Amino acid sequence: MGLIDYDQRILQYIEVTERLKRGDYSIEVLVAPVDEVGKLGTSLQDLANILETRYHELQRLDQITSDINAGLLLDTVLEKVYRNFREFIPYNRIGFALLEDDGRTVMVRARWTKSDQTETKLGRGFAAPLVGSSLETIINTGQPRIINDLVAYLAQKPTSESTRLIINEGMRSSLTCPLIANGVPMGFIFFSDIEPNTYQNIHVDIFLRIASQLSVIVEKGRLVSELAEQKKAIEKQNEELRRLSELKDTFLGMAAHDLRNPLGNIRLAASYLLETLEELDKEEAESLLGDVVDLSSHMLELVDNLLDVAKIESGKLELALDEIDISAFLTEMVQRHAKMAAPKQTTVLLEEVPSGTTIADVSRLRQVVDNLISNGVKYSPPGSTVTVYAEKLRRGWRINVKDEGPGITEKDRQRLFQEFARLSARPTGGEKSTGLGLAITRRIVEAHGGKIGVDSEPGHGANFWFTLP
């Protein structure tokens, strides 16, 4: 070998090095003959190949992160992470957790999980304190953690509930990367695989680069998601305000319509009485005064109901809870309604009540039962029977009011417990209805933690019921 050959290779190696510094990796290095200088050339060629591979990896990584960054909401971002990162990191499962500080302790709370294996057992909502955990070290050092054998790790730390859960999902190795945006720790991303030692020979610098880019992207997605939730809450609040405004307009319409007519009739009756008082006999005068009382009572009921609805809608319905003997309470209610139903030849009957008590607001509970029994009498034909009975449940009561009226059609059933619902059935004795009683009844029952409903077929009466815890 001549000196000139030796110098040519050295000069080429210097040129190749300069090209590599400029990012030009498409080089071919002279290595022959195989001597110490040739070995240097082989190493230089290997380095060029590694750098080219790494360059293309980073280009692809930048393309993927750019695509991921185009996602707005956090769940969309994480779905893209799950789909696109397999060419850099092997995994069967990805988990994502956020740090939450409530002022007393910092918690690590699972926010998102996806796996191609069995149903995830360590899912959204799982939380554990950060302080004193192995995750605290990851945050403090900013370095990823690799566990090559999760089963062996659990044997060393048997109290690690999160490790036990992902082992139950079939995972055997894991890589945990801290997510730190603008110097502020925000959470973790967990890669897991069903094979042990999956992450043993993988370069940590790729993880750090991925974690660094993901931190900013995920933080953006989290903020956008929070703004979306706030927007949704505001829209819901605006919708509720629109509903309340419509309810107010309906109130005014009800007042204008349902109060105007009886007020006009009361005025006519009072004027007629004033003009003809000396000419009327006692029976005619009493009849006119009876009309005034009936119309005034209907107006008072309407006003009371409107005030009740307004109170309920504003969230000011307060319950004065007390212990109530169910048998004594229902006996009193049925006896009172039996007297009121007598002129219609309607029987109000109470079946034997099991002994026991409940906790409720007695005045509001009386309002519920009053409404259901009076409706049963109102919509049943003269001479029929309204039956009241109570069933003792495993935890609570079910009170039933069964009538022999026309029943409830499917169309009416859909509007039954709504405000101002006017149903197809009409009172059988000309009684007045405000269309608010059942809506108020439903709200009172729900305020007690119970449910209300009806069992009915058209033409076969109706059984209105409600439960009390």
Side-chain angles (χ1 to χ4, degrees), residues 279-293:
E279 302 170 12
L280 293 176
D281 58 32
K282 182 180 179 182
E283 186 175 343
E284 290 175 317
E286 287 178 347
S287 176
L288 284 171
L289 288 172
D291 289 342
V292 170
V293 170

Side-chain angles (χ1 to χ4, degrees), residues 344 346 375-382 384-386 403-406 428-429:
K344 198 174 179 180
T346 298
N375 275 358
V377 174
K378 187 184 296 183
Y379 291 98
S380 293
S384 60
T385 300
V386 175
D403 64 47
E404 297 177 354
T428 54

Side-chain angles (χ1 to χ4, degrees), residues 56 85 95 149 157 165 167 193 200 224 229 232 264 269 379 409:
H56 290 305
F85 272 98
D149 189 339
K157 297 193 174 183
L165 289 173
I167 286 175
D193 198 87
Q200 189 171 23
V224 172
E229 288 296 321
K232 189 185 297 182
Y379 291 98
T409 66

Side-chain angles (χ1 to χ4, degrees), residues 67-218:
D67 176 58
I68 291 172
N69 198 26
L72 292 178
L73 300 179
L74 180 57
D75 285 1
T76 305
V77 168
L78 293 170
E79 283 285 347
K80 289 186 174 185
V81 170
Y82 184 83
R83 287 198 306 268
N84 291 298
F85 272 98
R86 290 188 193 276
E87 60 186 277
F88 301 105
I89 304 176
Y91 53 84
N92 295 104
R93 178 191 192 277
I94 291 182
F96 168 70
L98 281 173
L99 296 179
E100 295 181 356
D101 188 349
D102 62 4
R104 293 173 297 177
T105 184
V106 179
M107 301 293 290
V108 182
R109 188 175 301 278
R111 170 65 174 76
W112 185 92
T113 304
K114 191 161 185 178
S115 172
D116 59 15
Q117 299 299 299
T118 59
E119 180 181 356
T120 56
K121 299 182 184 297
L122 178 58
R124 181 169 183 163
F126 180 88
L130 175 66
V131 177
S133 71
S134 58
L135 296 177
E136 185 179 23
T137 304
I138 298 173
I139 282 292
N140 291 339
T141 62
Q143 295 296 311
R145 179 190 66 182
I146 293 173
I147 299 177
N148 290 310
D149 189 339
L150 285 168
V151 175
Y153 180 82
L154 183 62
Q156 295 173 357
K157 297 193 174 183
T159 59
S160 176
E161 180 67 9
S162 58
T163 304
R164 185 182 64 80
L165 289 173
I166 64 169
I167 286 175
N168 289 342
E169 292 180 24
M171 302 301 127
R172 292 298 178 266
S173 57
S174 73
L175 162 69
T176 303
C177 293
L179 297 178
I180 302 172
N182 301 318
V184 179
M186 54 168 294
F188 302 89
I189 189 161
F190 307 91
F191 299 92
S192 306
D193 198 87
I194 59 174
E195 299 293 335
N197 301 309
T198 296
Y199 306 103
Q200 189 171 23
N201 300 315
I202 295 180
H203 294 289
V204 171
D205 60 329
I206 276 286
F207 299 157
L208 290 174
R209 183 181 179 91
I210 290 173
S212 175
Q213 292 178 327
L214 283 183
S215 296
V216 177
I217 296 171
V218 167

Side-chain angles (χ1 to χ4, degrees), residues 158-383:
T159 59
S160 176
E161 180 67 9
S162 58
T163 304
R164 185 182 64 80
L165 289 173
I166 64 169
I167 286 175
N168 289 342
E169 292 180 24
M171 302 301 127
R172 292 298 178 266
S173 57
S174 73
L175 162 69
T176 303
C177 293
L179 297 178
I180 302 172
N182 301 318
V184 179
M186 54 168 294
F188 302 89
I189 189 161
F190 307 91
F191 299 92
S192 306
D193 198 87
I194 59 174
E195 299 293 335
N197 301 309
T198 296
Y199 306 103
Q200 189 171 23
N201 300 315
I202 295 180
H203 294 289
V204 171
D205 60 329
I206 276 286
F207 299 157
L208 290 174
R209 183 181 179 91
I210 290 173
S212 175
Q213 292 178 327
L214 283 183
S215 296
V216 177
I217 296 171
V218 167
E219 176 67 0
K220 181 208 73 173
R222 185 181 69 82
L223 293 174
V224 172
S225 295
E226 287 181 0
L227 288 173
E229 288 296 321
Q230 291 174 7
K231 181 185 176 201
K232 189 185 297 182
I234 291 171
E235 288 174 349
K236 184 177 180 182
Q237 188 177 41
N238 287 339
E239 181 61 32
E240 178 66 9
L241 289 173
R242 283 192 291 270
R243 190 185 71 81
L244 290 175
S245 178
E246 290 172 1
L247 188 63
K248 177 204 68 175
D249 293 341
T250 308
F251 278 2
L252 295 176
M254 281 284 293
H257 181 270
D258 284 21
L259 293 177
R260 184 182 181 87
N261 287 341
L263 275 172
N265 290 332
I266 289 172
R267 180 179 179 182
L268 284 174
S271 298
Y272 184 72
L273 275 170
L274 282 173
E275 293 170 2
T276 61
L277 186 58
E278 295 180 357
E279 302 170 12
L280 293 176
D281 58 32
K282 182 180 179 182
E283 186 175 343
E284 290 175 317
E286 287 178 347
S287 176
L288 284 171
L289 288 172
D291 289 342
V292 170
V293 170
D294 288 343
L295 292 168
S296 300
S297 298
H298 174 61
M299 290 169 56
L300 183 60
E301 179 189 4
L302 175 60
V303 170
D304 286 341
N305 284 341
L306 288 172
L307 291 174
D308 266 346
V309 171
K311 185 182 293 185
I312 291 169
E313 290 295 335
S314 66
K316 295 179 180 178
L317 178 65
E318 297 180 358
L319 301 178
L321 299 178
D322 203 355
E323 188 174 14
I324 300 171
D325 184 290
I326 291 292
S327 179
F329 172 78
L330 291 179
T331 298
E332 175 199 344
M333 297 296 298
V334 168
Q335 286 175 350
R336 183 154 60 85
H337 278 276
K339 294 176 183 176
M340 296 170 63
K344 198 174 179 180
Q345 289 83 49
T346 298
T347 302
V348 182
L349 176 68
L350 176 64
E351 293 186 355
E352 185 176 353
V353 179
S355 62
T357 62
T358 189
I359 302 297
D361 183 319
V362 66
S363 63
R364 291 298 182 181
L365 188 58
R366 186 177 290 117
Q367 194 175 352
V368 170
V369 178
D370 264 338
N371 192 275
L372 296 183
I373 296 178
S374 62
N375 275 358
V377 174
K378 187 184 296 183
Y379 291 98
S380 293

